[in-house]
Amino acid sequence: MSEPHHVVVIGGGFAGLETVHRLAGGDVRITIVDRRNHHLFQPLLYQVATASLATSEIAWPIRHLFRRRSDVTTLLAEVTGIDTALREVTLSTGETLRYDTLVVATGATHAYFGHDDWEPYAPGLKTLEDATTVRRRILLAFEQAEAESDAERRAALLTFVVIGAGPTGVELAGTIAELAHATLPEDFRRIDTRETRVVLVEAGPRILPGFAEELSRYAHDALQRIGVDIRTGAPVTACSSKGVSIGPEELPAATVIWAAGVRASPAGAWLGAPVDRAGRVEVETDLTAPGHPEIFVVGDTASVMDQDGKPVPGIAPAAKQQGRHVAATIKRRLAGDKAPRPFAYSHAGSLATVGKRVAIIDFGRVKLKGWLAWWLWGLAHIYFLIGVRNRVSVALSWLWIHARDQRSARLITQRDVKQPGGGS
């Protein structure tokens, strides 16, 4: 008997997992490779970083998710290269995996626009490790301010700078402000956490540039009401252990968080494929790598255009749609239908929360803001979580924050790596 068609999926994010999920029942053997053992719900990662949720509420072991799928093998490993001629994936262990069809869904990491030396001072937010690092730095800043007698140093410890005003930056800034102004005041004796300064820096002319201008203005005003200092049209020109420079202004700050940009994994170099400025592979209309119909590139690894020639956003619903398209294409090919079909993206809307009771939603013609948008934002995110237990747990955590202004995940765990030049 011939071996089943072998599909290798690199990456356990939304696109990769959706591909594996939709291939259930097909005459295939699947190997999923990831350098971490868990699938991460990235849209809520900032809530781990700001002590609203625990890590276990937004991440699930990949092996456990497919425990009842005998057709799926999970490997905890890191990919170091792809041989397109031999159809082999090389792992860091030296092992190779031969594939019939390859799905590259390796995601993205932070982009510092030529200033990679800023990373130790301004961590980004892409992994659970990133989130716990940011949470530790935020909470330690308050603890150190409580013990600090020098007024200038205490002010710097109580200054938080978020660089980049897309959804992640806006959500981080709003939640840090609420943490300082509503959750922590009763916990400290020597400092008033309501004196905390949260600065949101955006190089462009307005925050949330992917949303309609009226929603951007609404979010801007809502952030200012909860005490966020917004700087637009002001790129960061320097970043160090002492703080940041915004143009000629030096802003002392002990905690800086990067939310300004991403770059794709090295998949383009592995495949020898053309890439855009962010390193994403410029795929064909059916999501295959140029010249390689047996290789699909999806999610944040791919530069995908919709039917109108506009870039498909790097959000979870788009990645899941791409995963469904890839799985359907593989099944059609195995049934003898080799005709390529273009990927058709359906935009369900853009969502962002500004605080615990305020959000904005852009459905295109329909735009929502305020408390109703916040409830819809919450329901949409709970829907995408995996498992009833996690949905209930997150819903209860949010209701508790909504009613009592308390965040139960305020734990300082692990030791932070010392920043060059001092600081923690």
Side-chain angles (χ1 to χ4, degrees):
M1 295 179 64
S2 62
E3 285 286 326
H5 188 90
H6 188 203
V7 179
V8 174
V9 178
I10 309 174
F14 289 106
L17 258 61
E18 187 69 13
T19 301
V20 177
H21 173 67
R22 296 286 175 169
L23 282 173
D27 186 20
V28 295
R29 176 170 63 94
I30 304 168
T31 301
I32 182 168
V33 184
D34 200 296
R35 59 183 176 180
R36 291 181 172 82
N37 80 326
H38 54 268
H39 167 68
L40 176 63
F41 190 77
Q42 277 196 352
L44 293 180
L45 194 58
Y46 81 95
Q47 296 218 352
V48 172
T50 52
S52 299
L53 296 176
T55 55
S56 60
E57 292 177 306
I58 66 164
W60 307 268
I62 297 171
R63 193 176 297 280
H64 179 74
L65 295 177
F66 296 111
R67 65 194 182 281
R68 295 189 177 93
R69 292 275 303 276
S70 60
D71 59 320
V72 178
T73 298
T74 303
L75 290 181
L76 179 64
E78 185 168 359
V79 172
T80 57
I82 298 170
D83 190 322
T84 57
L86 296 178
R87 295 194 179 189
E88 288 182 344
V89 174
T90 304
L91 307 181
S92 56
T93 59
E95 181 185 359
T96 58
L97 290 173
R98 186 167 176 78
Y99 61 84
D100 297 306
T101 296
L102 178 64
V103 181
V104 183
T106 44
T109 186
H110 327 299
Y112 289 86
F113 309 115
H115 296 283
D116 290 349
D117 54 307
W118 293 357
E119 185 172 8
Y121 316 111
L125 203 57
K126 280 294 180 182
T127 67
L128 282 181
E129 294 87 349
D130 294 336
T132 55
T133 294
V134 170
R135 182 182 68 187
R136 182 167 56 249
R137 292 190 182 187
I138 290 172
L139 296 177
L140 275 175
F142 290 108
E143 296 292 342
Q144 292 167 356
E146 177 83 345
E148 182 59 61
S149 57
D150 181 79
E152 288 188 6
R153 176 59 182 162
R154 187 167 59 246
L157 286 164
L158 293 178
T159 299
F160 300 83
V161 178
V162 179
I163 303 172
T168 298
V170 165
E171 290 166 344
L172 272 169
T175 308
I176 293 171
E178 290 183 337
L179 177 70
H181 299 157
T183 302
L184 296 179
E186 294 184 357
D187 290 9
F188 291 86
R189 299 294 176 265
R190 299 178 64 185
I191 61 171
D192 183 353
T193 62
R194 288 166 294 198
E195 295 177 356
T196 294
R197 185 182 183 190
V198 181
V199 183
L200 178 61
V201 184
E202 170 57 44
R206 64 185 177 95
I207 68 171
L208 297 172
F211 287 75
E213 191 167 350
E214 63 182 274
L215 294 178
S216 174
R217 285 197 303 269
Y218 176 84
H220 188 284
D221 294 342
L223 284 173
Q224 287 187 322
R225 284 196 297 272
I226 59 175
V228 177
D229 179 3
I230 301 173
R231 308 287 188 89
T232 55
V236 170
T237 54
C239 184
S240 71
S241 60
K242 296 179 180 179
V244 300
S245 295
I246 306 172
E249 178 190 2
E250 293 185 1
L251 180 61
T255 306
V256 182
I257 306 170
W258 187 266
V262 298
R263 69 169 179 266
S265 73
W270 296 341
L271 299 173
V275 297
D276 66 8
R277 289 185 300 174
R280 294 172 296 208
V281 175
E282 296 177 341
V283 297
E284 304 287 0
T285 57
D286 62 351
L287 304 182
T288 58
H292 294 282
E294 76 283 0
I295 300 176
F296 295 89
V297 186
V298 290
D300 288 339
T301 318
S303 174
V304 184
M305 299 297 166
D306 65 15
Q307 302 89 303
D308 299 323
K310 298 178 181 178
V312 172
I315 55 178
K320 290 172 75 72
Q321 288 180 39
Q322 291 170 36
R324 288 196 293 271
H325 174 85
V326 169
T329 301
I330 293 171
K331 285 185 172 182
R332 282 196 301 268
R333 288 179 179 180
L334 293 175
D337 182 357
K338 307 293 185 180
R341 289 177 172 81
F343 168 68
Y345 172 61
S346 176
H347 186 55
S350 300
L351 304 84
T353 178
V354 184
K356 67 176 183 178
R357 298 181 183 91
V358 178
I360 58 174
I361 301 178
D362 192 345
F363 289 122
R365 293 184 179 179
V366 178
K367 297 173 177 58
L368 300 175
K369 54 191 177 184
W371 67 269
L372 175 60
W374 183 80
W375 281 101
L376 290 175
W377 173 92
L379 290 172
H381 283 71
I382 288 172
Y383 171 79
F384 277 107
L385 291 170
I386 298 175
V388 174
R389 184 186 71 82
N390 293 88
R391 290 173 180 146
V392 172
S393 178
V394 169
L396 289 175
S397 295
W398 284 348
L399 287 173
W400 189 251
I401 293 170
H402 181 81
R404 300 294 302 274
D405 284 317
Q406 292 300 310
R407 291 170 166 81
S408 59
R410 302 198 309 272
L411 304 178
I412 300 173
T413 58
Q414 305 170 328
R415 291 185 62 186
D416 200 0
V417 177
K418 286 286 184 181
Q419 297 178 15
S424 60

